[in-house]
Amino acid sequence: MSSLQKEIDERTNLTGTNRFELLLFRLGTDAVLGQSELFGINVLKVREIVTLPTITPIAGAPKFSLGVVHLREQVIPVYDLPAIIGCKLSAAPSLMLVTEYARTTQAFTVESVEDIVRLDWNQVISAENTGTGPSLITSIARLSEGGGDEARLAQVLDVEAILQMVSPSDGHEVTEEKVGAKLKLKPGTIVLAADDSFVARSLIEQELKALHAPYEMVKSGKEAWDRLNAIAKAAEAEGKAVTDRVAMVLTDLEMPEMDGFTLTRNIKQDARFSGLPVVIHSSLSGSANEDHVRSVGADGYVAKFVAEELAETIRRVLPH
C-alpha cells in the first residue's frame, strides 16, 4: 500500500496529453454473478489510502453512512462503498480511500487496492454508450491497448452521482434568484456544454435554463470537438464565424475519449475559434489543476457545483 501511496503523491499533476491515472480497487462480489470486479477512480480525486481507523457512528446518519473518523485534524464522513455499489465483502473492510471532490473531503471503504494505471482517455467509453442508461459509473476503461476480447475492463465511478445519492446537497439547488439576471447572448448563439456525469449535466442544464441561455449538451470532449468542427464548417459555408453560432464552451475535465484540457487546447490553438471563450467546470480543484487550466488557455475555471459561482464566471468571460 505504501508504494501505491507514493505513486499517488508523485502523480498529482495533469499532463495535458489526454492521459490520466486511474486507481484500481475491488469492492467484493456483486449480487448478480457473484464476481469480483475492478472499479476505478481518477488519482487526482484521491488524497490518500489509509488503514481503516476507528469509526464513530453518528446517530440518525443516512443510509450507507458508517459514521466519521478523525484524520489529520479533520473529521471526515465515511461511506460504505461496497454497499452503495451493491457488492458484498467476504470480511470486514480494512482500507478506505480518502477523496477530495468539489471542495469536500470524504472517505469510502474498499475491499482491496489493486494498482494504478496510466491510460489514454480514448481507452475509455461512456457508460451511457453501452446502453445501460444512467448509473453510478461514468465510463468503462479498457486496461490494455487494442480491442482484443480479453482486455480487462474497469468501471469508473461517478463520484458526483454517488455523493448526491448518499448526501444530497441543498446547495446544488438552482433557482433564478441564485443565478441572477438572464444572460445576454449574441442572437443565434448557444452555450456548448460537455460533461460525462448525468448528474452534472442535469445541474448544468438547470442553470442554463434559469439563465435563459440556449444550449447544446454533449457527453465528452470529443463530442464537443466534433460538434464545434461541424458548426465551423456550416458557419463558413454561410460566410459567418463560429462565434456567430457559439457564445462559449463550458467543459468538464474528466471525460471519455477526450478530456477537457485537450478540448480547450484544441480550441485555443485553432484560428477558426479565435475569440471563443472556454470555461472549465470541474470537481478537480487545487493550485496544480489551476496552473494547467492557465497553461491551456482557458478563460475561466470554476469548481463544481455552486450555481452562483458558475453564473458569475460565465458572465465574466462572455463578450460584452
Side-chain angles (χ1 to χ4, degrees):
M1 189 179 73
S2 60
S3 62
L4 286 174
Q5 185 65 56
K6 183 179 179 181
E7 287 186 70
I8 288 177
D9 294 338
E10 292 175 345
R11 297 174 176 181
T12 55
N13 290 327
L14 292 174
T15 63
T17 57
N18 208 44
R19 295 177 72 81
F20 72 111
E21 307 283 347
L22 190 67
L23 176 69
L24 301 176
F25 52 90
R26 295 187 185 273
L27 299 174
T29 57
D30 70 84
V32 179
L33 299 176
Q35 298 178 173
S36 177
E37 301 295 341
L38 279 172
F39 293 88
I41 186 172
N42 193 319
V43 166
L44 294 178
K45 284 193 169 95
V46 181
R47 191 177 83 183
E48 56 187 323
I49 306 162
V50 298
T51 300
L52 190 64
T54 301
I55 297 177
T56 300
I58 299 298
K63 186 179 180 183
F64 303 124
S65 170
L66 297 175
V68 298
V69 297
H70 187 253
L71 185 68
R72 312 197 195 291
E73 304 305 316
Q74 187 177 13
V75 176
I76 300 171
V78 181
Y79 298 106
D80 185 347
L81 189 54
I84 292 169
I85 300 301
C87 294
K88 185 176 181 180
L89 299 179
S90 58
S94 60
L95 288 177
M96 70 179 192
L97 308 181
V98 181
T99 66
E100 292 183 339
Y101 163 81
R103 302 172 181 169
T104 66
T105 303
Q106 53 282 311
F108 296 100
T109 57
V110 299
E111 180 181 66
S112 62
V113 172
E114 298 287 307
D115 198 2
I116 291 176
V117 293
R118 176 171 291 182
L119 302 174
D120 194 293
W121 276 112
N122 64 22
Q123 292 176 247
V124 182
I125 63 169
S126 170
E128 293 180 46
N129 290 344
T130 66
T132 58
S135 66
L136 294 180
I137 62 171
T138 60
S139 49
I140 305 292
R142 290 181 289 107
L143 302 182
S144 58
E145 296 282 4
D149 293 337
E150 300 303 316
R152 288 197 307 160
L153 303 178
Q155 302 175 58
V156 182
L157 294 180
D158 187 341
V159 181
E160 293 167 80
I162 290 172
L163 289 180
Q164 185 64 15
M165 181 183 81
V166 300
S167 182
S169 172
D170 293 335
H172 288 169
E173 182 185 6
V174 179
T175 64
E176 292 191 3
E177 290 72 24
K178 276 189 176 184
V179 302
K182 66 181 181 179
L183 294 180
K184 297 179 180 179
L185 300 184
K186 184 177 181 179
T189 63
I190 62 165
V191 173
L192 180 63
D195 203 295
D196 66 331
S197 167
F198 76 92
V199 170
R201 290 200 303 274
S202 175
L203 291 170
I204 292 168
E205 288 183 354
Q206 290 176 45
E207 174 113 354
L208 294 175
K209 286 177 181 177
L211 289 167
H212 298 271
Y215 66 90
E216 286 188 28
M217 183 71 67
V218 295
K219 300 191 292 293
S220 75
K222 184 176 185 302
E223 286 187 39
W225 180 241
D226 289 346
R227 183 67 183 123
L228 274 176
N229 278 282
I231 291 172
K233 185 176 181 180
E236 182 182 10
E238 298 173 4
K240 296 183 179 295
V242 172
T243 49
D244 293 321
R245 295 289 178 259
V246 181
M248 65 164 288
V249 174
L250 178 65
T251 179
D252 188 18
L253 287 181
E254 304 173 273
M255 294 181 291
E257 300 181 287
M258 180 187 291
D259 65 14
F261 286 125
T262 303
L263 171 64
T264 302
R265 188 172 58 251
N266 286 352
I267 293 171
K268 293 302 181 180
Q269 292 178 351
D270 194 317
R272 295 174 301 166
F273 306 124
S274 176
L276 179 63
V278 179
V279 169
I280 289 178
H281 182 229
S282 173
S283 59
L284 296 177
S285 56
S287 58
N289 289 316
E290 290 172 10
D291 287 343
H292 281 290
V293 167
R294 284 189 286 270
S295 73
V296 295
D299 300 275
Y301 179 81
V302 59
K304 293 178 179 177
F305 178 85
V306 181
E308 300 94 326
E309 292 184 7
L310 179 56
E312 179 184 345
T313 303
I314 290 173
R315 284 194 179 88
R316 178 174 59 79
V317 306
L318 283 174
H320 297 289

